[in-house]
Amino acid sequence: MKADKKKVFIRSFGCQMNVRDSEIIQGILQKNGYSVCENDQNAEIIIFNTCSVRKQAEDRVWSLIGSYKGSKIIGLVGCMAQNYKDKAFLRDEDVSFVVGPQDIHKLPEILARIQPKGLLERKIWEVDNLNRPEEIYHTGFYQNPNHAYVVISEGCSNFCSYCVVPYVRGPLRHRQKEKILNEIEAAISQGITSFTLLGQNVNSYLDDGFNFTELLKEVNALKGLKKLGFFTSHPKDAGIATFKAIRDLEKLDKTLHLPLQSGSDRVLKLMNRGYNSKEYVALIENYRKIVKDGSLTTDIIVGFPTETDKEFKETCDLIKKIGFNAAYIFKYSPRPQTEAAKMVDSVERQEKEKRHKYVLDLQRKISNKLKKENK
Ligand code: 5AD
Ligand code: SF4
């Protein structure tokens, strides 16, 4: 081992995709002779693997970067890196390198070029790559000895009007079925038994005519695999085939996460979601008919531009009518480049907070009631 092994600490923010990406970063850095620390104290380099879905998440990262007061070499990686590109250096001069989600495989080489603080400081940014090399998924490194996240598709082409993901993670790309199965089999041989398949819209998975339910069947059949889950589903692509797979595949988790976002048809249209409330309800009815002992979770955005009191109430009514086991409720946050950001962010901050609190309380009651009823 080299004596001058650089010590890196990775701080991860955001969704499960980012949890997996941070693990991938750790895997490739370790393979390339870097030491990845358990905490930031001993590290010379701090990698922030970031999320841009809401402004609040970004603000938190900027404030944490500031809290190091220039004492560490800072790398901005992931969605914020792609969002800010080289402008990140202007936003905070302590940022030394900026690496987008499609460029993380370059990190060992970038870190090798980074100079210690005080010496010739470099500003490096890598945000132009379109596709990740498949090898990064095969380092064999997983944080959890029992469970692994497995990416089946990258990016998203849905362009929901509020969402930054298609801009920072690029268009939808599917990993090849064989490569996915190879990754899972190798993880099983390491002793991992539980798996979660990840994608922004898993139901639209397609590799050379081979679709999502077929993938589920093949993964479910792998010897040594005991538990399987997936997310996220999109209401415009999830359907009977997925629900039947949930019913029939014995290792598959019966919980379905199906983001509703809004109960108002006008708002859903503005969001470019591709379904209306009636279609969503019909989908849930099918799921419940097919999967007897399932449970349902969702995502809701309150305060989307021009959302009226009446439309907000429609969301609440639909939440009550459906009875989700859990819901993640978000206040609308305008994101750069998105269509919705061109609209006036018309719902006042206090009103957004009021609506947010109202749905949180409503959902808490529903969740508790369902728990008591053992549903
Ligand atoms: N503002 C608020 N919430 C958002 N989400 C995505 N983009 C935004 C935004 N601009 C929420 C959606 C999505 C979840 C992951 O984050 O509900 O399903
Ligand atoms: Fe964003 Fe919509 Fe894609 Fe989900 S489906 S990542 S909300 S654009």
Side-chain angles (χ1 to χ4, degrees):
M1 267 308 136
K2 280 193 295 179
D4 62 343
K5 215 168 163 184
K6 277 183 183 159
K7 297 195 189 77
V8 188
F9 177 65
I10 306 168
R11 287 194 79 136
S12 196
F13 301 82
C15 64
Q16 278 75 10
M17 194 61 90
N18 256 15
V19 173
R20 176 62 182 138
D21 284 358
S22 291
E23 195 174 62
I24 286 171
I25 294 170
Q26 178 159 355
I28 51 182
L29 288 182
Q30 283 172 178
K31 265 210 155 140
N32 283 277
Y34 292 91
S35 146
V36 177
C37 308
E38 294 277 312
N39 61 55
D40 60 350
Q41 280 160 19
N42 299 324
E44 321 152 52
I45 303 172
I46 315 282
I47 288 180
F48 283 84
N49 187 25
T50 57
C51 168
S52 283
V53 163
R54 282 167 293 275
K55 183 171 176 290
Q56 211 183 5
E58 292 194 341
D59 290 345
R60 200 163 149 244
V61 167
W62 288 123
S63 120
L64 279 165
I65 290 177
S67 74
Y68 284 101
K69 295 190 171 51
S71 61
K72 307 277 184 190
I73 295 170
I74 303 284
L76 190 71
V77 175
C79 294
M80 274 175 78
Q82 199 66 33
N83 196 13
Y84 281 83
K85 302 193 173 72
D86 52 332
K87 287 197 194 81
F89 302 126
L90 300 174
R91 173 77 199 242
D92 192 319
E93 60 180 21
D94 287 335
V95 174
S96 292
F97 57 99
V98 174
V99 181
Q102 283 73 252
D103 293 81
I104 54 175
H105 56 287
K106 298 175 188 162
L107 274 165
E109 181 257 332
I110 291 169
L111 295 196
R113 278 156 64 201
I114 287 291
Q115 301 298 314
K117 282 239 124 178
L119 288 179
L120 184 84
E121 186 79 2
R122 288 196 213 209
K123 304 285 183 198
I124 301 174
W125 70 97
E126 290 286 349
V127 289
D128 298 324
N129 203 47
L130 297 179
N131 285 306
R132 299 169 155 194
E134 172 61 33
E135 304 85 77
I136 64 167
Y137 292 110
H138 300 276
T139 64
F141 176 75
Y142 301 94
Q143 291 283 0
N144 185 326
N146 306 311
H147 171 265
Y149 287 115
V150 176
V151 174
I152 65 166
S153 55
E154 302 161 358
C156 184
S157 298
N158 287 331
F159 292 96
C160 299
S161 66
Y162 51 81
C163 186
V164 78
V165 168
Y167 303 94
V168 291
R169 294 221 171 230
L172 180 68
R173 286 101 60 205
H174 304 292
R175 280 182 72 200
Q176 284 175 11
K177 157 209 168 189
E178 278 80 20
K179 301 283 165 57
I180 296 170
L181 291 170
N182 285 349
E183 183 188 341
I184 299 177
E185 280 177 313
I188 292 173
S189 70
Q190 268 175 234
I192 296 177
T193 55
S194 167
F195 292 84
T196 305
L197 308 182
L198 291 181
Q200 303 296 344
N201 175 358
V202 288
N203 313 95
S204 65
Y205 177 82
L206 200 62
D207 172 37
D208 207 8
F210 185 86
N211 69 24
F212 181 56
T213 38
E214 290 166 324
L215 179 69
L216 284 177
K217 274 183 208 145
E218 290 223 2
V219 177
N220 181 76
L222 291 176
K223 243 183 107 202
L225 185 143
K226 294 197 179 127
K227 270 177 79 182
L228 180 61
F230 62 81
F231 57 87
T232 294
S233 289
H234 194 300
K236 77 175 172 57
D237 297 306
I240 301 214
T242 309
F243 305 155
K244 285 190 174 159
I246 297 178
R247 178 192 64 194
D248 296 337
L249 301 177
E250 71 287 0
K251 299 172 187 171
L252 196 54
D253 186 351
K254 301 225 170 322
T255 305
L256 181 68
H257 182 67
L258 198 62
L260 166 64
Q261 312 298 5
S262 169
S264 149
D265 289 342
R266 191 189 69 92
V267 174
L268 283 172
K269 198 159 195 176
L270 285 177
M271 287 177 164
N272 192 31
R273 287 291 288 173
Y275 55 86
N276 60 31
S277 55
K278 217 170 139 193
E279 286 161 341
Y280 187 93
V281 169
L283 203 58
I284 297 298
E285 281 169 359
N286 274 326
Y287 167 76
R288 287 190 164 143
K289 237 183 262 158
I290 295 168
V291 184
K292 297 288 180 224
D293 45 357
S295 67
L296 264 176
T297 62
T298 199
D299 291 345
I300 301 286
I301 297 177
V302 300
F304 185 83
T306 73
E307 182 191 66
T308 62
D309 272 338
K310 191 168 158 274
E311 287 163 339
F312 170 66
K313 199 172 165 291
E314 283 172 8
T315 300
C316 297
D317 289 344
L318 197 54
I319 290 173
K320 276 187 235 165
K321 178 174 168 176
I322 292 172
F324 295 103
N325 296 82
Y328 302 89
I329 328 279
F330 307 104
K331 287 173 268 184
Y332 169 71
S333 164
R335 301 285 61 218
Q337 303 180 74
T338 61
E339 278 304 305
K342 295 178 189 155
M343 302 172 74
V344 179
D345 185 13
S346 59
V347 182
E348 298 280 333
R349 190 172 60 88
Q350 278 143 314
E351 182 58 29
K352 272 186 202 159
E353 271 161 22
K354 203 172 116 193
R355 291 181 190 179
H356 185 242
K357 188 176 176 307
Y358 187 88
V359 192
L360 279 178
D361 288 344
L362 171 66
Q363 183 55 47
R364 196 173 303 123
K365 283 184 203 132
I366 297 170
S367 298
N368 287 340
K369 185 167 171 275
L370 291 175
K371 242 183 240 153
K372 270 192 205 135
E373 292 166 3
N374 244 335
K375 278 191 187 153

